[in-house]
Amino acid sequence: MEIIKTVAEMSRWVQEQRTKGHTLALVPTMGFFHEGHLSLMRRAGELVDRVIVSLFVNPSQFAAHEDLDAYPRAFARDAALAEAEGVAVLFCPEVDDIYPPGFQTTVAVSELTSKLCGKSRPHHFAGVTTVVAKLFNIVAPQYAVFGEKDFQQLAVIRRMVRDLNMQVSLVGHAIVREKDGLAISSRNAYLSKAERRQALCLWHALQEAKALVQAGERHSGRVAKRVRDVLLAHGPCQIDYIELVNRDTLERSSTIDHRVLLALAVRIGTTRLIDNACLLHGGDKNV
C-alpha cells in the first residue's frame, strides 16, 4: 500500500493507473478506522481494480464549538488496517493542501441540508460536499462508497452528483453494528461504560418502531411517540430529532411506506449519536 500525502502526487498516481487501464474506487473517511470503515473498503474492492481511501479530518465540516481538536486519530493503526484490507493508496493530505491560502469556493446543496442534522449543524454539509467534490476531482474514481449510517450525508452527496453531472457512481453500504445492535461509530469512543449501555436506546427504539409497523401501524406520529418513550426510558438524554422521512427527499411523511426512513439523533452525555432504519421490508435496498 502506498501512502500519499499531497494532491499533486495523488493526481500523478491516478493518471498512471488510468494509463494502465485500472478502475478506481474511493472510500472517503476521517480515519480512526473501525469495522464499518473496513466493510466499505471491502465493498469497494469488489467493484474495481484499485481502492483509494482518503484519511482527512475535514475542518470545514466542524463548527467552532464542535469536536475537531478532540476527534480521535490513530494514523499508524489506520494505515495497518487499510493495508490488511488490500487498499492500494491511503491518501492523507494536509489541510493547507486541500484548502490552500486564499481558498474561497464552496459546493453547497440547499434543500436537503436544511433538514435533520442540518437544523442543528447548519454549516456542516457545505463542508462535507466541498471536500467530497474536491476528492472526486483529485481521484476521479468510477465508484465512491459511503456508509448508510449517515443517511442524510449520502442523500446530499447523491444530489450533488446528480446536479453537477459528476461522473462517479455512488454505492451506499448497510450500517455495520456491534453484536448488541449499537451502530459502529468513531464517536462511540467518547462514551463512558454507562453511556455505552445507555446508547443502546437507539437500537431498541428502532426495533420497537419496526415491530409496530410490522404489526400494522402506519401513522408516523404514533410511531414517533413510541420511539421517544423508548429513548427516554433508558435514561436522561437529549433528543435532537425523531423523524420519519422519505429516503430520497428527506421530507417528512405522515404515513409509513417502503420509502420511509426513521432517522434518529440523540445526545448521550456529550456525545451525539445518529442511527436510522427503514421500517418496512424492501425499503433497505440501495437505489
Side-chain angles (χ1 to χ4, degrees):
M1 183 183 74
E2 296 186 48
I3 295 176
I4 294 180
K5 296 186 176 182
T6 70
V7 170
E9 186 182 356
M10 188 72 247
S11 297
R12 284 193 295 271
W13 186 92
V14 167
Q15 186 56 47
E16 289 174 1
Q17 301 306 308
R18 293 286 194 188
T19 301
K20 295 174 182 178
H22 293 153
T23 52
L24 308 176
L26 173 67
V27 180
T29 83
M30 293 204 301
F32 206 66
F33 295 157
H34 49 62
E35 181 58 30
H37 294 113
L38 303 184
S39 71
L40 301 182
M41 298 176 201
R42 294 180 202 124
R43 180 70 183 107
E46 296 170 356
L47 299 170
V48 297
D49 304 318
R50 302 285 187 270
V51 175
I52 302 100
V53 174
S54 62
L55 194 168
F56 180 66
V57 181
N58 178 34
S60 69
Q61 67 191 67
F62 290 82
H65 64 281
E66 293 181 329
D67 58 344
L68 173 62
D69 292 337
Y71 194 84
R73 294 163 170 86
F75 180 79
R77 173 180 167 276
D78 285 350
L81 289 171
E83 185 168 27
E85 294 298 337
V87 168
V89 167
L90 187 63
F91 177 43
C92 42
E94 297 293 334
V95 171
D96 288 347
D97 204 15
I98 294 296
Y99 302 115
F103 186 87
Q104 54 190 289
T105 301
T106 59
V107 178
V109 175
S110 54
E111 292 184 18
L112 288 177
T113 60
S114 66
K115 313 173 196 308
L116 302 178
C117 291
K119 291 181 179 179
S120 59
R121 307 184 73 190
H123 306 295
H124 170 73
F125 286 111
V128 171
T129 45
T130 297
V131 78
V132 170
K134 287 179 69 71
L135 290 170
F136 286 171
N137 283 335
I138 295 163
V139 176
Q142 281 93 344
Y143 293 92
V145 184
F146 293 85
E148 291 188 342
K149 183 174 72 70
D150 193 337
F151 198 89
Q152 183 175 16
Q153 173 179 275
L154 179 55
V156 167
I157 293 171
R158 281 176 170 152
R159 183 76 264 171
M160 176 184 75
V161 166
R162 287 194 297 267
D163 287 354
L164 299 182
N165 304 107
M166 294 179 170
Q167 299 303 301
V168 56
S169 296
L170 300 183
V171 178
H173 191 63
I175 297 171
V176 178
R177 299 183 180 278
E178 303 282 2
K179 290 182 179 179
D180 59 8
L182 182 67
I184 296 177
S185 169
S186 297
R187 287 190 168 92
N188 291 351
Y190 298 158
L191 299 169
S192 68
K193 289 184 178 179
E195 290 168 345
R196 170 63 177 75
R197 290 191 295 270
Q198 186 185 351
L200 286 175
C201 67
L202 283 85
W203 170 247
H204 291 307
L206 293 174
Q207 295 305 105
E208 180 69 14
K210 284 184 178 181
L212 276 177
V213 171
Q214 288 166 12
E217 180 62 75
R218 295 293 182 271
H219 188 276
S220 292
R222 287 191 285 269
V223 172
K225 182 181 183 305
R226 181 58 184 150
V227 166
R228 179 177 294 274
D229 291 343
V230 173
L231 292 173
L232 295 176
H234 282 74
C237 64
Q238 180 182 341
I239 298 173
D240 189 348
Y241 60 76
I242 301 166
E243 296 280 8
L244 289 116
V245 299
N246 179 283
R247 57 183 285 131
D248 295 322
T249 66
L250 304 185
E251 294 288 348
R252 288 178 178 173
S253 177
S254 60
T255 303
I256 296 168
D257 60 23
H258 290 86
R259 304 302 302 170
V260 169
L261 182 89
L262 170 59
L264 307 177
V266 178
R267 193 174 296 276
I268 307 292
T270 60
T271 306
R272 186 176 184 273
L273 302 175
I274 60 173
D275 207 339
N276 68 79
C278 289
L279 302 181
L280 281 171
H281 294 302
D284 54 357
K285 296 178 180 178
N286 290 340
V287 293

